[in-house]
Amino acid sequence: MTSYVVTPLPRPSVAVDGEAGRFPVQRIYCVGFNYAEHTVEIVKDTAKTPPVLFAKASDTLLADGQELPYPPKTADLHYEVELVVAIGTGGAQIRADRALDHVYGYAVGNDFTRRDLQNHARAHGQPWETAKTFEGASGIGAIYATPMVGHLTRGRIWLSVNGVVRQDSDLSQMIWSVPDIIAEMSSYFRLQPGDLIYTGTPAGVGALSVGDVVVAGIDSLGTLTHRVV
Ligand code: MN
């Protein structure tokens, strides 16, 4: 039994639909610019901006129904609905044709972003950490295991703010598919059981204000609701 000199925090985890047990979270990886129409709205030129990889801290998870504290150091907090892949079996250099064997399940996520800080970082060649990692920055719904929902290659992905639909696309529009993402990600990082991968957002991102209610949904994965406070 390891002893610690300060009390360790509990491990982050996510509810699993239909299971008493929870999914223990290791790392949160993300893909940026994985839908062409979203790339255009942020950077205009899709040819110069292929999908990119980044990470968020795993203590930023925000479960369905939890309130999102409006983060400090921004005046442009954005929502981003995303399909989240939950990794059940780790590995490095995973081949795309074997990649789905590593998936435990899927969830709907919201990659909350300080857009003003991200735009500044992009313009100055700086990392995205301050734009992407803050309290509550990683909305996550319940995980649906693959025996229940299969592997998602199409289906509506949408988001509303105060009942008005702001993002409305289809998973089939992703530039890198889930197998492509796992192959690419695992060529840089050894994926571990418990890793989550946020797979990018479609067009229609925009700002949130205190008091807004943001609902994200993906067909067969339910919805994810947060109120900004
Ligand atoms: Mn994102």
Side-chain angles (χ1 to χ4, degrees):
M1 182 91 175
T2 305
S3 68
Y4 298 99
V5 296
V6 295
T7 304
L9 293 170
R11 180 164 179 167
S13 64
V14 179
V16 179
D17 185 68
E19 295 277 357
R22 294 176 64 82
F23 182 84
V25 176
Q26 184 68 15
R27 294 186 181 181
I28 301 177
Y29 294 110
C30 302
V31 181
F33 304 123
N34 201 26
Y35 290 78
E37 290 180 359
H38 169 64
T39 308
V40 169
E41 74 181 349
I42 296 290
V43 297
K44 318 305 177 200
D45 188 344
T46 57
K48 287 183 180 169
T49 309
V52 298
L53 308 181
F54 62 98
K56 301 175 74 137
S58 59
D59 61 359
T60 60
L61 290 168
L62 192 71
D64 183 35
Q66 289 188 301
E67 293 179 333
L68 173 64
Y70 196 97
K73 306 288 280 188
T74 184
D76 199 20
L77 172 67
H78 274 213
Y79 52 80
E80 297 188 354
V81 60
E82 310 202 0
L83 173 69
V84 180
V85 179
I87 296 295
T89 307
Q93 312 292 343
I94 297 167
R95 284 170 25 197
D97 63 354
R98 302 300 304 273
L100 295 180
D101 297 344
H102 295 260
V103 177
Y104 173 82
Y106 298 93
V108 55
N110 202 330
D111 172 21
F112 293 111
T113 300
R114 288 161 163 151
R115 188 73 70 206
D116 43 2
L117 298 193
Q118 186 196 24
N119 288 340
H120 182 274
R122 286 186 48 249
H124 293 82
Q126 295 172 351
W128 291 7
E129 189 81 16
T130 60
K132 291 292 192 177
T133 287
F134 50 87
E135 182 182 353
S138 305
I140 185 80
I143 293 170
Y144 290 72
T146 55
M148 306 297 291
V149 295
H151 290 285
L152 305 184
T153 56
R154 56 180 51 79
R156 186 181 181 220
I157 177 170
W158 59 274
L159 178 143
S160 70
V161 180
N162 302 328
V164 179
V165 174
R166 299 295 189 187
Q167 294 185 277
D168 198 352
S169 187
D170 194 280
L171 297 177
S172 62
Q173 298 303 302
M174 296 197 322
I175 296 168
W176 285 352
S177 67
V178 170
D180 293 339
I181 290 167
I182 291 172
E184 182 75 7
M185 197 73 76
S186 71
S187 73
Y188 291 93
F189 311 108
R190 177 176 294 278
L191 295 179
Q192 302 286 5
D195 286 344
L196 298 175
I197 304 174
Y198 284 61
T199 60
T201 198
V205 298
L208 291 167
S209 301
V210 170
D212 285 348
V213 174
V214 57
V215 182
I218 294 174
D219 280 355
S220 75
L221 300 180
T223 60
L224 174 64
T225 301
H226 301 291
R227 192 166 69 90
V228 183
V229 297

